[in-house]
Amino acid sequence: MISKIIDVHSHFTTKEYLNLIARHGASLEDGFPLPQWNAQDHLALMDECNIEWTLLSVSSPQPYFAGFNDESVKMCRHLNESMAEVKAKYPKRFKFQACLPLPNIAAAINEAIYALDVLKADGIKFASNSRGLYLGAKELDPLMAELNQRTSVCNIHPHRSDPIKEGIFSSGPVPLYEFLADTTRAVLNLISNGVILRYPKISWIVPHCGSFLPNIYDRFTGLSKILIPKGLMQDIDIRQSVAKLYFDLSGNPAPHLLDWLLTVTAPDKIMYGADFSFTTSELIKNNLNKLLLMLDREDLSTCKELILYKNAEELFSIH
């Protein structure tokens, strides 16, 4: 029996956030209804699953709509202060990562400083793109400098691609494919634009078993050897960049996904993620049972505690 588990990927909503998204007709932007969050249901799940503490963040849609900058700033402040209140009420059970009003960079810097310095947020959650502004963009360098100075832990969460042609993928809602593609796009941008190595004190967590990064890694490194000499890509150490990344196992972990992930990273860079409340409690419990069976494999059993809680403890300096 594992002594405990730490969850670095679960989500938070408030009525005010849900109402704002509804006012802009974006409640089904991702193709399915946004869940309501409450502490009691979340704590009950955590107790059933032996989860010691959970890292909360806001998922998507990003609370920003063109022409409504002030509204986004106020909503991010509301969300961050609400998560800080939950952390204060349950200090041993919840931590949180702040939401920023991107793509308004000046406002995002102000909110990051307030959230980290005043609210004592446990890092920053970034959308893969914030209404078209992608991670890795040079415009974000002043924000990256502030986060690097504060040794911030940053989770990446997928967001609907922007722009995206309606109907370009008609087999299901955005999370089925576009989320994984957009996360991978953001990570490739961070790597190829040198962000990870230029701001080495920032720790990045890639969600959903690495998204498509394990699949595209060899192509990425192979093509870089052609593109860099031709001046078509920045001269960057891709292997060193990827080695600095952390990964969570949120979503639907399966043996082959974990094996693929381990082709690009090491067990000391992998952490558990439940994805509550977008994933139901029953499915979370089923997925966790599958993961525990995987980690009992002879080649993984020595890494079990690392993945389930020790890596997160070290990253977030909880001892």
Side-chain angles (χ1 to χ4, degrees):
M1 177 69 177
I2 196 73
S3 60
K4 59 185 173 183
I5 297 171
I6 291 174
D7 168 21
V8 301
H9 185 135
S10 278
H11 296 300
F12 178 84
T13 60
T14 65
K15 290 180 181 178
E16 291 83 355
Y17 167 79
L18 295 174
N19 289 340
L20 179 144
I21 297 300
R23 286 200 304 274
H24 287 278
S27 296
L28 291 175
E29 185 173 276
D30 294 337
F32 58 88
L34 298 172
Q36 295 185 0
W37 180 92
N38 69 75
Q40 289 69 38
D41 288 348
H42 202 160
L43 287 166
L45 170 71
M46 291 165 65
D47 290 342
E48 283 189 72
C49 295
N50 202 25
I51 296 172
E52 183 176 88
W53 60 263
T54 288
L55 183 67
L56 295 173
S57 66
V58 177
S59 180
S60 62
Q62 181 80 353
Y64 177 93
F65 298 92
F68 291 87
N69 282 318
D70 290 345
E71 179 185 63
S72 177
V73 170
K74 291 176 182 177
M75 179 52 59
C76 288
R77 176 62 56 89
H78 157 74
L79 288 165
N80 293 335
E81 290 184 338
S82 297
M83 286 188 285
E85 289 175 5
V86 172
K87 179 181 176 180
K89 187 173 182 179
Y90 306 99
K92 294 184 178 181
R93 307 306 305 274
F94 291 111
K95 305 188 183 303
F96 78 98
Q97 291 193 304
C99 173
L100 303 182
L102 288 168
N104 184 332
I105 294 169
I109 291 172
N110 289 338
E111 188 61 25
I113 292 171
Y114 175 76
L116 294 169
D117 294 359
V118 178
L119 299 180
K120 304 303 180 184
D122 302 280
I124 302 293
K125 186 238 57 179
F126 278 98
S128 52
N129 84 87
S130 299
R131 304 299 175 184
L133 178 67
Y134 272 88
L135 281 175
K138 190 166 183 59
E139 296 94 315
L140 290 169
D141 278 0
L143 174 57
M144 296 298 120
E146 290 289 347
L147 300 181
N148 190 67
Q149 181 181 330
R150 289 166 172 77
T151 318
S152 299
V153 179
C154 298
N155 280 36
I156 302 171
H157 194 275
H159 197 274
R160 180 185 180 89
S161 305
D162 188 12
I164 183 172
K165 179 178 172 59
E166 294 300 328
I168 193 169
F169 180 72
S170 58
S171 296
V174 171
L176 184 60
Y177 170 79
E178 294 295 341
F179 267 17
L180 299 178
D182 214 58
T183 297
T184 307
R185 184 178 295 116
V187 174
L188 296 186
N189 283 343
L190 286 171
I191 295 169
S192 60
N193 292 331
V195 174
I196 293 171
L197 298 184
R198 283 190 289 117
Y199 302 103
K201 294 181 181 179
I202 300 176
S203 298
W204 294 95
I205 304 176
V206 182
H208 304 132
C209 301
S211 297
F212 291 150
L213 185 63
N215 306 69
I216 202 172
Y217 177 76
D218 286 336
R219 178 177 176 83
F220 186 38
T221 55
L223 279 177
S224 71
K225 296 173 183 177
I226 300 172
L227 299 175
I228 290 172
K230 294 180 180 296
L232 299 174
M233 181 178 171
Q234 186 177 148
D235 188 359
I236 197 74
D237 190 330
I238 295 173
R239 293 184 187 278
Q240 185 182 355
S241 296
V242 173
K244 287 179 61 62
L245 296 173
Y246 289 83
F247 300 86
D248 75 46
L249 299 177
S250 59
N252 188 23
H256 62 279
L257 292 180
L258 183 54
D259 287 338
W260 282 342
L261 182 55
L262 286 166
T263 66
V264 299
T265 194
D268 63 356
K269 295 290 187 178
I270 302 174
M271 296 174 287
Y272 172 72
D275 214 355
F276 185 85
S277 52
F278 282 81
T279 303
T280 65
S281 294
E282 287 306 311
L283 186 53
I284 287 169
K285 287 183 277 188
N286 289 338
N287 286 341
L288 179 56
N289 287 334
K290 286 195 300 183
L291 176 61
L292 292 174
L293 288 174
M294 279 185 256
L295 296 178
D296 280 335
R297 279 178 11 192
E298 184 177 352
D299 59 326
L300 292 174
S301 59
T302 58
C303 310
K304 190 172 186 176
E305 292 184 339
L306 283 177
I307 291 171
L308 292 177
Y309 71 91
K310 285 186 176 180
N311 292 336
E313 277 188 338
E314 182 176 352
L315 181 60
F316 290 93
S317 300
I318 305 300
H319 302 289

